[in-house]
């Protein structure tokens, strides 16, 4: 078979394997489904839709509502069925892709499938932003720099002054700095003021985490109208399904629950972090997200030990610099207790 471009043959697939477990802390999802009253309203909206009809061309109905709620120009919003597809569009559009190592793996994967040159700069020992390295890399041909803020998969939050230094360099050298705010509700940060003042900065957001809508598939880009116009062309027409739009319009009538839940999750995250300080061999890193990165002496043994006790987490030890690391989503208080209990029980039997 020679139908495909050579660079696409034999690519490894996305590193995710479904595993059944009683307690699922592996995908940074919200542990809670939509509030029941909202879900009921969404179902009524779905029933009233004509399923034989195409949805809006570019999710105009949702973008009008988002524009009003976020005080962002309508022309600068691009919707996608998950922000992953927008990442792919950005990678396809750009001369080159730059990110940090480690980082959310879909940036590198998107560059690879688009055959866009890709480079990563290693984070510091304690996951500090490699500012000098990034500024240096941005002296080259301009492209897109993806930076999760707060950072995934480390949970670190970079200083605003450092992010602003990257934004200034983006202006000087013609780059687009894309701040991926997938977890911003858990850190309480919001880079809209920077992005509004600087057209070389765009923001990426998702409904998959704080909103509790991972199954619905929706994310969006906030950018200048010029940047949005390019990215919009790389997202398929009628790409946001009518049912997704109906559910988004429903939650956007009552968006307060997402922030309330994110704040509760942040408190739980701190409780779990504090509890892990007592663990004899595991070390959690400070986090500003809805997950904790935990360094263990042996990631394979820790993962298997937790799973044997019904707790599913995500291994991260395949990333350079994350040897021994697991990523644990913050769940309900009961789920977090079950994780902590298993973590300490493993230490007791010498398996961690
Ligand atoms: C979860 C996550 C996303 C969300 O992707 P969707 O396709 O919108 O579900 C984006 N970026 C980062 C860093 C994430 O962790």
């Amino acid at each position: 078979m020679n139908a495909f471009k050579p660079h696409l043959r034999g690519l490894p697939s996305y590193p995710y394997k479904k595993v059944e477990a009683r307690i699922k802390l592996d995908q940074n999802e919200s542990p809670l489904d939509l509030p029941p009253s909202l879900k009921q309203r969404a179902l009524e909206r779905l029933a009233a839709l004509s399923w034989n009809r195409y949805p809006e061309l570019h999710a105009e109905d949702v973008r009008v509502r988002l524009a009003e709620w976020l005080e962002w120009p309508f022309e600068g919003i691009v919707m996608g069925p998950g922000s992953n597809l927008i990442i792919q569009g950005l990678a396809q559009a750009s001369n080159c892709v730059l990110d940090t190592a480690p980082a959310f793996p879909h940036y590198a994967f998107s560059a690879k499938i688009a055959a866009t040159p890709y480079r990563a700069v290693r984070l510091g020992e304690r996951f500090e932003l490699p500012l000098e390295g990034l500024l240096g890399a941005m002296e080259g041909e301009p492209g897109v720099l993806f930076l999760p803020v707060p950072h995934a998969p480390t949970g670190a939050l970079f200083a605003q002054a450092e992010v602003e230094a990257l934004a200034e360099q983006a202006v000087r050298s013609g780059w687009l700095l894309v701040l991926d705010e997938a977890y911003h509700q858990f850190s309480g940060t919001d880079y809209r003021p920077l992005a509004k003042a600087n057209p070389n900065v765009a923001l990426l957001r998702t409904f998959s985490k704080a909103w509790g809508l991972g199954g619905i598939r929706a994310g969006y880009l906030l950018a200048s109208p010029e940047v949005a116009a390019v990215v919009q062309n790389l997202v398929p027409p009628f790409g946001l399904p009518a049912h997704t739009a109906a559910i988004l319009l429903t939650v956007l009538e009552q968006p307060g629950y997402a922030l309330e839940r994110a704040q509760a999750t942040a408190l739980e995250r701190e409780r779990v972090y504090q509890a892990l300080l007592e663990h004899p061999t595991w070390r959690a890193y400070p986090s500003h997200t809805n997950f904790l990165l935990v360094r263990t002496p042996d990631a394979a043994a820790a993962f298997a030990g937790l799973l044997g006790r019904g707790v599913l987490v995500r291994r991260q030890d395949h990333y350079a610099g994350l040897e021994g690391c697991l990523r644990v989503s913050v769940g309900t208080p009961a789920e977090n207790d079950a994780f902590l209990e298993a973590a300490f029980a493993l230490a007791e039997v010498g398996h961690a």
Side-chain angles (χ1 to χ4, degrees):
M1 247 278 276
N2 285 323
F4 298 138
K5 293 169 183 155
H7 77 276
L8 292 173
R9 295 180 208 148
L11 269 192
S13 46
Y14 191 80
Y16 178 77
K17 189 164 154 275
K18 189 179 165 90
V19 178
E20 296 295 338
R22 193 163 47 85
I23 294 173
K24 190 174 180 310
L25 301 178
D26 67 328
Q27 282 189 290
N28 301 344
E29 297 152 321
S30 165
L32 303 173
D33 196 351
L34 276 193
S37 62
L38 268 186
K39 193 164 185 178
Q40 189 54 41
R41 295 246 298 282
L43 286 172
E44 286 160 16
R45 217 189 259 260
L46 284 184
L49 281 180
S50 301
W51 292 9
N52 55 321
R53 300 297 176 195
Y54 273 89
E56 303 267 304
L57 173 61
H58 291 311
E60 280 76 5
D61 46 0
V62 179
R63 286 163 60 217
V64 163
R65 178 68 191 108
L66 276 177
E68 166 186 73
W69 183 58
L70 295 167
E71 298 175 9
W72 196 270
F74 168 83
E75 299 77 16
I77 304 177
V78 182
M79 296 294 308
S83 48
N84 279 341
L85 195 77
I86 301 174
I87 293 170
Q88 284 181 211
L90 283 161
Q92 195 181 344
S94 59
N95 295 317
C96 58
V97 166
L98 175 65
D99 73 359
T100 57
F104 186 52
H106 202 60
Y107 310 141
F109 185 77
S110 299
K112 199 172 267 181
I113 59 174
T116 300
Y118 168 78
R119 218 188 124 182
V121 180
R122 278 284 288 270
L123 293 183
E125 192 73 7
R126 301 288 304 179
F127 309 143
E128 302 92 340
L129 187 75
L131 188 57
E132 290 311 313
L134 290 171
L135 292 175
M138 292 167 84
E139 298 291 345
E141 185 186 24
V144 170
L145 165 55
F146 287 104
L147 189 69
V149 183
H151 188 263
T154 65
L157 184 65
F158 307 125
Q160 188 173 330
E162 294 184 313
V163 175
E164 286 171 357
L166 291 174
E168 281 161 29
Q169 172 74 324
V171 174
R172 269 197 303 277
S173 44
W175 281 67
L176 179 67
L177 170 62
V178 176
L179 301 175
D180 185 343
E181 291 194 305
Y183 299 101
H184 79 106
Q185 296 96 333
F186 306 103
S187 58
T189 52
D190 181 345
Y191 272 99
R192 268 180 296 159
L194 179 66
K196 212 166 230 176
N198 185 334
N200 292 60
V201 177
L203 309 180
L204 199 55
R205 294 184 170 184
T206 180
F207 284 92
S208 299
K209 309 282 161 60
W211 291 89
L213 292 172
I216 299 311
R217 308 306 300 130
Y220 59 92
L221 184 78
L222 299 179
S224 70
E226 292 73 23
V227 166
V230 172
V231 178
Q232 186 66 79
N233 277 338
L234 294 164
V235 175
F238 313 105
L240 195 79
H243 48 273
T244 297
I247 294 165
L248 295 183
L249 288 170
T250 308
V251 298
L252 287 167
E253 285 173 357
Q254 267 180 316
Y257 79 94
L259 197 56
E260 274 168 37
R261 286 176 169 189
Q263 287 165 349
T265 297
L267 290 176
E268 269 299 288
R269 175 191 72 212
E270 291 314 304
R271 182 178 75 84
V272 177
Y273 175 81
Q274 290 297 327
L276 283 175
L277 291 176
E278 305 294 325
H279 197 281
T281 55
W282 294 13
R283 285 291 159 264
Y285 289 92
S287 170
H288 299 267
T289 62
N290 66 342
F291 61 83
L292 287 165
L293 187 72
V294 182
R295 179 98 58 179
T296 75
D298 180 342
F303 175 85
L306 288 171
L307 191 58
R309 285 164 170 77
V311 181
L312 177 63
V313 300
R314 193 80 158 266
R315 283 177 65 167
Q316 302 286 298
D317 55 309
H318 51 285
Y319 291 108
L322 299 191
E323 294 76 15
C325 286
L326 302 175
R327 193 191 70 194
V328 185
S329 308
V330 178
T332 62
E335 290 171 332
N336 301 331
D337 284 341
F339 160 70
L340 287 170
E341 201 174 306
F344 282 90
L346 286 172
E348 216 145 89
V349 297
H351 285 165

